[in-house]
């Protein structure tokens, strides 16, 4: 019944807004950093050092011990470069095409998987930045550039064998990602994406909008708030797909499933 409602909403959509949290990557085989346990499963080396995700995702490392800072982020960069986005990305692309709909992606993930799956760069808002972009760690200027560096890692020590440098002042560079306790993150690229998203929303007011939210938990609720605030507008339906925290007020739709499985189940009814 709920699935049929979701399929009806998808069938009627003029506009898709895809909102994604960390759970979106799980079906592509990406680690879930939920809780220390999840993080240490993915990175046993940090369990031995007694370091949590919050400890590792700290901009101070790039100043104090860049090989350590780049150990964590270089490893993730390599992992995301090697990952193939799961079939769920293609399912939504097919819905967009079938409806001749327009779309926008809002993601808290820094992994670049939507671009990799063929979504247009100017239709994506990366609220926490992107690991595939760099900035100076000082920073000496406001420039953000693409990360084309090779960053081999010694996986025993999780230390980087190459430290990407700022191309302007030769200081250490860092990923253009909002980290914990981060005062030096440059938000220019994300701000520009946000402006594009806001114009997109303005231009599509009054149309039948379906928000498909996947894998966005309550721990860092930015994405959930985005979906809920979009859902307050007339004509907008939110489909919240989440295996553990799917609750949302009606008339919105709650599917207690993983991202891929939820999308496949809706797709099977179309
Ligand atoms: Zn610099």
């Amino acid at each position: 019944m709920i699935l049929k409602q979701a399929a009806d909403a998808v069938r009627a959509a003029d506009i898709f807004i895809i909102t994604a949290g960390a759970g979106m990557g799980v079906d592509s085989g990406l680690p879930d950093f939920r809780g220390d346990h999840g993080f240490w499963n993915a990175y046993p080396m940090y369990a031995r050092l007694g370091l949590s995700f919050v400890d590792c995702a700290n901009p101070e490392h790039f100043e104090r011990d860049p090989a350590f800072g780049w150990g964590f982020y270089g490893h993730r960069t390599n992992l995301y470069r090697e990952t193939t986005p799961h079939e769920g990305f293609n399912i939504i692309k097919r819905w967009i095409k079938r409806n001749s709909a327009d779309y926008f992606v809002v993601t808290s993930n820094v992994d670049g998987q939507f671009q990799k799956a063929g979504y247009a760069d100017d239709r994506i808002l990366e609220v926490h930045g992107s690991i595939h972009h760099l900035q100076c760690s000082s920073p000496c200027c406001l420039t953000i550039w693409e990360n084309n560096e090779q960053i081999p890692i010694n996986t025993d020590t999780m230390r980087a064998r190459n430290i990407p440098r700022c191309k302007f002042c030769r200081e250490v560079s860092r990923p253009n990602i909002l980290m914990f306790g981060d005062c030096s993150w440059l938000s220019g690229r994300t701000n520009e994406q946000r402006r594009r998203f806001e114009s997109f929303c303005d231009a599509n007011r009054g149309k039948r909008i379906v928000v498909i939210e996947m894998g966005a938990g309550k721990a860092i609720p930015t994405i959930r708030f985005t979906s809920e605030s979009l859902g307050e507008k007339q004509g907008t339906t939110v489909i919240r797909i989440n295996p553990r925290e799917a609750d949302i007020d009606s008339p919105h739709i709650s599917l207690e499933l993983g991202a891929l499985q939820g999308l496949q189940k809706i797709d099977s009814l179309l």
Side-chain angles (χ1 to χ4, degrees):
M1 183 63 197
I2 291 172
L3 274 170
K4 188 182 172 302
Q5 268 178 41
D8 288 344
V10 165
R11 211 178 281 117
D14 300 316
I15 301 291
F16 289 95
I17 299 179
I18 301 132
T19 57
M24 182 64 178
V26 172
D27 295 309
S28 306
L30 291 173
D32 181 357
F33 295 155
R34 182 187 304 271
D36 289 343
H37 200 70
F39 179 65
W40 288 335
N41 268 339
Y43 291 105
M45 170 60 193
Y46 295 126
R48 288 197 293 277
L49 294 170
L51 294 173
S52 69
F53 177 50
V54 176
D55 297 328
C56 291
N58 191 310
E60 277 186 12
H61 300 304
F62 293 95
E63 228 170 282
R64 288 194 191 155
D65 188 355
F68 181 88
W70 268 114
F72 180 48
Y73 282 98
H75 187 276
R76 289 176 64 195
T77 304
N78 297 337
L79 178 67
Y80 299 146
R81 283 175 180 169
E82 287 157 14
T83 298
T84 304
H86 62 76
E87 182 55 23
F89 289 87
N90 292 328
I91 291 175
I92 302 174
K93 272 179 21 192
R94 284 204 302 272
W95 296 349
I96 294 167
K97 198 169 171 200
R98 183 199 345 230
N99 291 14
S100 302
D102 206 347
Y103 70 93
F104 216 102
V105 174
V106 182
T107 178
S108 62
N109 299 322
V110 299
D111 54 24
Q113 296 297 297
F114 279 97
Q115 284 93 337
K116 205 167 185 188
Y119 289 77
D121 208 29
D122 65 356
R123 285 284 185 277
I124 301 174
L125 162 57
E126 295 163 300
V127 294
H128 294 158
S130 162
I131 205 163
H132 304 297
H133 289 79
L134 298 178
Q135 61 164 86
C136 180
S137 60
S138 302
C140 69
C141 63
L142 298 178
T143 310
I144 297 162
W145 65 97
E146 262 185 69
N147 179 356
N148 295 316
E149 303 268 353
Q150 293 305 311
I151 314 160
I153 308 295
N154 177 338
T155 48
D156 289 330
T157 60
M158 285 304 283
R159 296 180 72 79
R161 295 196 167 102
N162 172 38
I163 309 288
R165 298 272 159 188
C166 171
K167 58 180 184 177
F168 303 99
C169 72
R170 306 309 297 162
E171 275 301 311
V172 174
S173 73
R174 51 163 276 187
N176 180 232
I177 292 177
L178 179 63
M179 300 178 194
F180 293 100
D182 196 345
C183 304
S184 46
W185 179 57
L186 296 176
S187 60
R189 182 171 171 273
T190 292
N191 291 344
E192 200 177 303
Q193 293 177 332
R194 191 180 301 283
R195 277 193 291 275
R196 243 178 258 139
F197 177 58
E198 282 163 5
S199 333
F200 177 87
C201 291
D202 287 344
N204 290 297
R205 225 174 273 284
K207 295 197 181 157
R208 278 169 303 191
I209 298 174
V210 169
V211 178
I212 303 173
E213 182 195 275
M214 291 159 293
K218 289 179 179 169
I220 302 173
T222 329
I223 293 295
R224 290 174 82 94
F225 287 163
T226 302
S227 313
E228 285 163 17
S229 128
L230 289 165
E232 283 168 11
K233 298 198 181 75
Q234 190 79 33
T236 301
T237 306
V238 181
I239 303 174
R240 170 166 284 160
I241 307 175
N242 193 304
R244 282 173 294 259
E245 299 169 319
D247 52 294
I248 190 163
D249 293 338
S250 70
H252 302 299
I253 299 166
S254 163
L255 295 180
E256 216 169 278
L257 294 166
L260 176 57
Q261 209 193 354
L263 296 170
Q264 282 171 331
K265 283 194 184 247
I266 298 170
D267 197 46
S268 69
L269 296 180
L270 292 176

